[in-house]
């Protein structure tokens, strides 16, 4: 795989000064990229603008309250509770409880960075030739941003040029128009993107993946029941599987290392760099401060996010992805081997006395968590997300690349489409078994049958919350408990496998919305987990248009179910 990591993904201070309005959250996005001092005929300037288009998508993903949070914080796997004695976490409570509104910070960031990125692609496309690899790249990044906006908001402005009259205010397009635009653009550029694998840049197979995602989720977006879209999604991933030349990485965690440029599984990546493009703050967001020593990390984590206990309970006892993904139990100092390499969790237990629920005097992440906010979570509560490699030294996860699309995802899409179409179902089961096999010591435990995948979920859904105060006080009288289970989820076994394979990979919100229960509701609305309750309301399937965007543009109309 050819490797280009930082060449055009970095953006110079000079261009930031010229285009300052595009990096100022107080500015209206549509006013940017109009500085007459920019020589758009200068190839170097065009390269800078292309680099910024890529960079903005990186900001969209890992900016504070970014895409990672948008897709994970509202799910049944991961949360950021109010941390007792720490003093933060309140911002995430509405995300967990599905009670957000148009002022939720997460949607502001998503909207902003998507349209800044679209602005850069449009400005570049306004001056690039109509054919060639550069315009194909920019059209891909633009379509990728619109896919994210469609998935999050549905009805959004569709802008394809920056050549507009002064005072111009974009109007919303329908979700169908956004969908059709993405499909048309991606199909139009496939050949020009080519099949070469250049790390951090899109090729034909990256376009296949976006198209497959659009088709796979069509019925969820539009409330239809049209199997033809599963056939279309199947065709896209078959192109990847038959012609892409990708293969599963030998080790699951190879896809989440600091550098993933050597993984044969990665189809499209967002390259990060600890010096020039440091963004991935998970090490700080998840770990207890003292827990940094388990990985030789020199930073000071903030003690925030953790696993939802019911999700931890759902793992098979032999599934190594539980340990690959989550840190639980007593934590141990990292040590160095004879070659000077840091070996995480290999030394003595880490002393830690605050909220010492086990009474042992060591840092010990418990599976139990009291509540999201009433009273909240004590300092050692909750397994911590460590799937993204924590590098020893000063940077932790901050320079870690993102595998935005990988082969396992394409294989899952094929399996899901085959099951929904009732075609070649054993192939579907074989695909999931193949993916699972690298994470189980026992080949027998890795096997998934058609019946497993089409049956109910093993996730023990229901409200589960302790309102008692005290880090060791799990008073049964304070326990709020409902029993729902997962037997009534269609293709529940496949939904389970999606969770175990892709937790923390901008998947879960979309999957929960797509999968349905036998009563017709989707899992996202129809099931309770931890402190989030089931509902019949459906507007939680999409987010409201941000209040800041509505205030800046009187032509925008708020999404149904939300107030301005």
């Amino acid at each position: 795989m050819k490797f280009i990591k930082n060449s055009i993904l970095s953006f110079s201070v000079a261009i930031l000064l010229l285009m300052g309005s595009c990096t100022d959250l107080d500015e209206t996005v549509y006013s940017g990229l109009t500085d007459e001092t920019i020589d758009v005929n200068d190839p170097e300037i065009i390269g800078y603008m292309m680099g910024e288009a890529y960079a903005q998508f990186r900001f969209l993903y890992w900016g504070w309250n970014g895409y990672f949070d948008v897709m994970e914080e509202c799910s049944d796997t991961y949360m950021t509770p109010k941390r007792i004695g720490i003093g933060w976490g309140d911002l995430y409570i509405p995300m967990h409880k599905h009670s957000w509104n148009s002022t939720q910070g997460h949607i502001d960031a998503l909207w902003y960075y998507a349209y800044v990125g679209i602005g850069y692609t449009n400005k570049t496309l306004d001056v690039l030739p109509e054919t060639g690899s550069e315009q194909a790249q920019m059209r891909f990044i633009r379509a990728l941003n619109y896919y994210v906006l469609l998935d999050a908001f549905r009805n959004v402005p569709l802008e394809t040029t920056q050549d507009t009259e002064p005072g111009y205010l974009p109007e919303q397009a329908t979700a169908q128009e956004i969908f059709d635009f993405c499909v048309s653009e991606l199909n139009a550029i496939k050949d020009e993107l080519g099949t070469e694998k250049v790390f951090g840049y899109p090729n034909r197979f990256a376009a296949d993946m976006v198209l497959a995602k659009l088709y796979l989720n069509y019925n969820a977006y539009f409330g239809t029941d049209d199997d033809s879209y599963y056939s279309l999604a199947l065709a896209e991933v078959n192109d990847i599987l038959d012609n892409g030349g990708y293969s599963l990485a030998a080790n699951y965690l190879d896809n989440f290392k600091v550098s993933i440029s050597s993984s044969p599984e990665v189809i499209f990546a967002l390259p990060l760099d600890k010096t020039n493009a440091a963004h991935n703050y998970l090490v700080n967001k998840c770990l207890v401060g003292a827990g940094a020593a388990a990985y030789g990390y020199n930073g000071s984590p903030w003690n925030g996010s953790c696993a939802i206990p019911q999700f931890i309970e759902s793992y098979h006892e032999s599934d190594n992805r539980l340990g690959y993904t989550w840190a639980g139990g007593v934590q141990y100092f990292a040590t160095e081997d004879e070659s000077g390499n840091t070996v995480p969790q290999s030394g003595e237990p880490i002393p830690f006395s605050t909220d010492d629920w086990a009474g042992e005097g060591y840092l010990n992440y418990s599976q139990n968590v009291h509540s999201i906010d009433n009273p909240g979570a004590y300092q050692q509560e909750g397994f911590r997300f460590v799937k993204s490699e924590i590098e020893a030294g000063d940077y932790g996860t901050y320079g870690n690349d993102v595998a935005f699309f990988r082969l396992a995802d394409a294989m899952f899409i094929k399996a899901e489409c085959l099951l929904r179409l009732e075609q070649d179902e054993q192939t579907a089961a074989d695909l999931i078994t193949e993916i699972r096999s690298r994470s189980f010591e026992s080949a027998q435990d890795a096997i998934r049958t058609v019946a497993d995948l089409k049956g109910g979920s093993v996730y023990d859904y229901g409200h589960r919350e302790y309102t008692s105060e005290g880090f060791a006080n799990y008073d049964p009288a304070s326990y709020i408990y409902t029993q729902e289970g997962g037997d009534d989820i269609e293709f529940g076994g496949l939904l389970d496998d999606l969770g175990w394979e892709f937790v923390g990979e901008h998947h879960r919100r979309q999957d929960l919305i797509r999968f349905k229960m036998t009563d017709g509701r989707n899992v996202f609305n129809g099931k309770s987990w931890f402190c989030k309750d089931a509902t019949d309301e459906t507007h939680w399937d999409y987010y409201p248009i941000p209040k800041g965007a509505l205030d800046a543009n009187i032509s925008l109309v708020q999404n149904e179910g939300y107030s301005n």
Side-chain angles (χ1 to χ4, degrees), residues 18-143:
L18 290 170
M19 299 182 178
S21 59
C22 287
T23 54
D24 182 353
L25 283 170
D26 294 329
E27 294 287 336
T28 302
V29 168
Y30 312 111
S31 68
L33 301 175
T34 59
D35 194 322
E36 294 179 359
T37 66
I38 300 173
D39 181 2
V40 294
N41 295 309
D42 183 337
E44 186 175 6
I45 297 298
I46 297 298
Y48 287 145
M49 291 196 297
M50 290 181 64
E52 189 65 6
Y54 281 98
Q56 292 299 325
F57 197 79
R58 192 173 70 235
F59 300 155
L60 178 148
Y61 196 96
W62 274 129
W64 192 246
N65 298 333
Y67 190 57
F68 177 94
D69 283 359
V70 166
M71 300 300 281
E72 302 295 336
E73 290 281 0
C74 58
S75 80
D76 60 354
T77 63
Y78 172 98
M79 62 178 171
T80 305
K82 183 181 77 173
R83 285 285 171 187
I84 299 167
I86 298 295
W88 75 288
D90 294 26
L91 170 68
Y92 301 91
I93 294 168
M95 293 295 286
H96 175 77
K97 289 188 172 183
H98 294 196
S99 60
W100 54 74
N101 58 34
S102 63
T103 64
Q104 186 73 30
H106 297 82
I107 61 173
D108 271 331
L110 190 69
W111 182 281
Y112 173 78
Y113 286 119
Y115 276 110
V116 173
I118 289 168
Y120 276 105
T121 61
N122 285 343
K123 187 67 174 178
T124 307
L125 288 165
D126 284 342
V127 298
L128 282 173
E130 293 184 2
T131 59
S133 62
E134 290 183 337
Q135 64 85 32
Q137 289 179 44
M138 290 296 94
R139 290 170 74 181
F140 173 87
I141 295 297
R142 182 172 64 184

